[in-house]
Amino acid sequence: PAKPQAPPLAPIGRRDRAKLSRGKQEIDARIDLHGMTQTRAHRALFGFLQRAHHEGFTFVLVITGKGKLGDSERGVLRRQVPQWLALPEFRALVVGFEEAHIGHGGEGALYVRVRRARF
C-alpha cells in the first residue's frame, strides 16, 4: 500500500494577505532565524511550526533576514526556507506561505499559514 502523500502547498488567499498586511488579521507567533546556521535554523523552524500546529495557530511570521550586501552567499536562509517549507515533513504542518508585507519585513520575512491539527 502506498504511503499517503503530504498535502500540496497552496497560496495564501488575497483576502487573508490583505488582512495580514493591514494588521486586521493577527499574526499568532513569530520566529527570527537570521544569524543562525542552516542546521540550527532548520531545527528551530521545524520545532516552531510543530508547536504552532499543536497550539492551533493560523498565521505565523518567519523572519529570515535579507542577507548581507556584497556577500556572495547573500540571503542563504532567505533562499532555503521556502525550499524547506516545500518538504513533506513541513507540508504536514503548513498550508502555504508568501513573502511578508514591507511592514512585517518584506522580502526578509514570510507569512506562513499553519495547517489545522486534526484531533
Short mmCIF file of all heavy atoms in Angstrom, two decimals, residues 23 31 38 44-45 57-59 62 69-71 77 82 85-88 95-96 101 108:
data_model
loop_
_atom_site.label_atom_id
_atom_site.label_comp_id
_atom_site.label_asym_id
_atom_site.label_seq_id
_atom_site.Cartn_x
_atom_site.Cartn_y
_atom_site.Cartn_z
N GLY A 23 -2.83 44.60 9.23
CA GLY A 23 -2.88 44.39 10.67
C GLY A 23 -4.25 44.01 11.18
O GLY A 23 -4.51 44.01 12.39
N ILE A 31 9.06 33.86 14.52
CA ILE A 31 10.38 33.31 14.81
C ILE A 31 11.39 34.07 13.95
O ILE A 31 11.14 34.34 12.78
CB ILE A 31 10.46 31.79 14.56
CG1 ILE A 31 11.82 31.25 14.99
CG2 ILE A 31 10.16 31.45 13.11
CD1 ILE A 31 11.90 29.73 14.99
N GLN A 38 22.40 27.18 8.92
CA GLN A 38 21.31 26.47 8.25
C GLN A 38 20.78 25.31 9.09
O GLN A 38 19.57 25.14 9.20
CB GLN A 38 21.77 25.94 6.89
CG GLN A 38 21.96 27.03 5.86
CD GLN A 38 22.28 26.44 4.51
OE1 GLN A 38 21.51 25.67 3.97
NE2 GLN A 38 23.44 26.82 3.97
N ALA A 44 15.19 24.81 14.36
CA ALA A 44 14.36 25.79 15.07
C ALA A 44 13.03 26.00 14.36
O ALA A 44 11.97 26.05 14.99
CB ALA A 44 15.10 27.12 15.19
N LEU A 45 13.06 26.09 13.03
CA LEU A 45 11.84 26.31 12.25
C LEU A 45 10.89 25.11 12.38
O LEU A 45 9.69 25.28 12.58
CB LEU A 45 12.18 26.56 10.78
CG LEU A 45 11.00 26.78 9.85
CD1 LEU A 45 10.19 28.02 10.27
CD2 LEU A 45 11.47 26.92 8.40
N PHE A 57 -2.47 27.58 15.95
CA PHE A 57 -2.25 28.89 15.34
C PHE A 57 -2.63 28.85 13.87
O PHE A 57 -2.59 27.80 13.23
CB PHE A 57 -0.78 29.31 15.47
CG PHE A 57 -0.33 29.59 16.87
CD1 PHE A 57 1.01 29.66 17.18
CD2 PHE A 57 -1.23 29.80 17.91
CE1 PHE A 57 1.45 29.94 18.46
CE2 PHE A 57 -0.82 30.07 19.20
CZ PHE A 57 0.53 30.13 19.48
N THR A 58 -3.00 30.03 13.34
CA THR A 58 -3.37 30.12 11.92
C THR A 58 -2.24 30.72 11.10
O THR A 58 -1.83 30.14 10.10
CB THR A 58 -4.64 30.99 11.76
OG1 THR A 58 -5.68 30.44 12.57
CG2 THR A 58 -5.10 31.01 10.30
N PHE A 59 -1.76 31.90 11.50
CA PHE A 59 -0.68 32.56 10.75
C PHE A 59 0.50 32.83 11.65
O PHE A 59 0.33 33.31 12.78
CB PHE A 59 -1.16 33.89 10.16
CG PHE A 59 -2.09 33.73 9.00
CD1 PHE A 59 -3.45 33.93 9.15
CD2 PHE A 59 -1.62 33.37 7.75
CE1 PHE A 59 -4.32 33.78 8.09
CE2 PHE A 59 -2.48 33.21 6.68
CZ PHE A 59 -3.84 33.42 6.85
N VAL A 62 7.76 34.16 9.77
CA VAL A 62 9.11 33.58 9.80
C VAL A 62 10.06 34.63 9.24
O VAL A 62 9.96 34.98 8.06
CB VAL A 62 9.19 32.28 8.98
CG1 VAL A 62 10.61 31.74 8.96
CG2 VAL A 62 8.22 31.23 9.53
N LEU A 69 24.66 42.67 2.14
CA LEU A 69 25.02 43.21 0.83
C LEU A 69 26.47 42.87 0.53
O LEU A 69 27.33 42.92 1.40
CB LEU A 69 24.85 44.73 0.81
CG LEU A 69 23.42 45.24 0.68
CD1 LEU A 69 23.37 46.75 0.83
CD2 LEU A 69 22.84 44.84 -0.66
N GLY A 70 26.73 42.51 -0.71
CA GLY A 70 28.09 42.20 -1.11
C GLY A 70 28.54 40.81 -0.74
O GLY A 70 29.64 40.40 -1.08
N ASP A 71 27.72 40.06 -0.04
CA ASP A 71 28.05 38.69 0.36
C ASP A 71 27.73 37.76 -0.81
O ASP A 71 26.64 37.80 -1.37
CB ASP A 71 27.22 38.31 1.59
CG ASP A 71 27.64 37.01 2.23
OD1 ASP A 71 28.55 36.35 1.67
OD2 ASP A 71 27.08 36.65 3.27
N LEU A 77 19.41 31.82 4.13
CA LEU A 77 18.15 31.40 4.74
C LEU A 77 16.95 31.89 3.94
O LEU A 77 15.94 31.20 3.84
CB LEU A 77 18.06 31.87 6.19
CG LEU A 77 19.04 31.21 7.16
CD1 LEU A 77 18.86 31.79 8.56
CD2 LEU A 77 18.87 29.71 7.18
N PRO A 82 11.98 28.75 1.94
CA PRO A 82 10.89 28.30 1.07
C PRO A 82 11.08 26.87 0.56
O PRO A 82 10.11 26.12 0.44
CB PRO A 82 10.93 29.30 -0.09
CG PRO A 82 11.52 30.54 0.51
CD PRO A 82 12.55 30.03 1.49
N LEU A 85 10.08 24.59 3.42
CA LEU A 85 8.63 24.55 3.62
C LEU A 85 7.94 23.66 2.59
O LEU A 85 6.83 23.19 2.83
CB LEU A 85 8.05 25.97 3.58
CG LEU A 85 8.45 26.87 4.74
CD1 LEU A 85 7.95 28.29 4.50
CD2 LEU A 85 7.95 26.34 6.08
N ALA A 86 8.60 23.40 1.47
CA ALA A 86 8.03 22.53 0.44
C ALA A 86 8.33 21.05 0.69
O ALA A 86 7.77 20.19 0.02
CB ALA A 86 8.56 22.94 -0.93
N LEU A 87 9.17 20.74 1.68
CA LEU A 87 9.50 19.35 2.01
C LEU A 87 8.29 18.66 2.66
O LEU A 87 7.52 19.30 3.37
CB LEU A 87 10.70 19.29 2.96
CG LEU A 87 12.03 19.78 2.41
CD1 LEU A 87 13.07 19.84 3.52
CD2 LEU A 87 12.51 18.89 1.27
N PRO A 88 8.14 17.34 2.45
CA PRO A 88 6.97 16.64 3.00
C PRO A 88 6.78 16.81 4.51
O PRO A 88 5.64 16.97 4.96
CB PRO A 88 7.25 15.17 2.65
CG PRO A 88 8.14 15.23 1.46
CD PRO A 88 8.97 16.47 1.63
N VAL A 95 0.09 25.05 5.34
CA VAL A 95 -0.83 25.10 4.21
C VAL A 95 -0.14 25.82 3.05
O VAL A 95 -0.19 25.38 1.91
CB VAL A 95 -2.14 25.83 4.57
CG1 VAL A 95 -3.02 26.01 3.35
CG2 VAL A 95 -2.88 25.10 5.67
N GLY A 96 0.49 26.96 3.35
CA GLY A 96 1.15 27.74 2.33
C GLY A 96 1.91 28.89 2.95
O GLY A 96 1.88 29.11 4.16
N HIS A 101 4.49 41.51 3.95
CA HIS A 101 4.34 42.93 3.62
C HIS A 101 5.56 43.68 4.16
O HIS A 101 6.17 43.24 5.15
CB HIS A 101 3.05 43.46 4.28
CG HIS A 101 2.75 44.89 4.00
ND1 HIS A 101 3.19 45.89 4.82
CD2 HIS A 101 2.08 45.48 2.99
CE1 HIS A 101 2.79 47.05 4.33
NE2 HIS A 101 2.11 46.82 3.22
N GLY A 108 12.48 39.90 3.56
CA GLY A 108 13.25 39.22 4.59
C GLY A 108 12.38 38.43 5.56
O GLY A 108 12.84 37.99 6.61
#
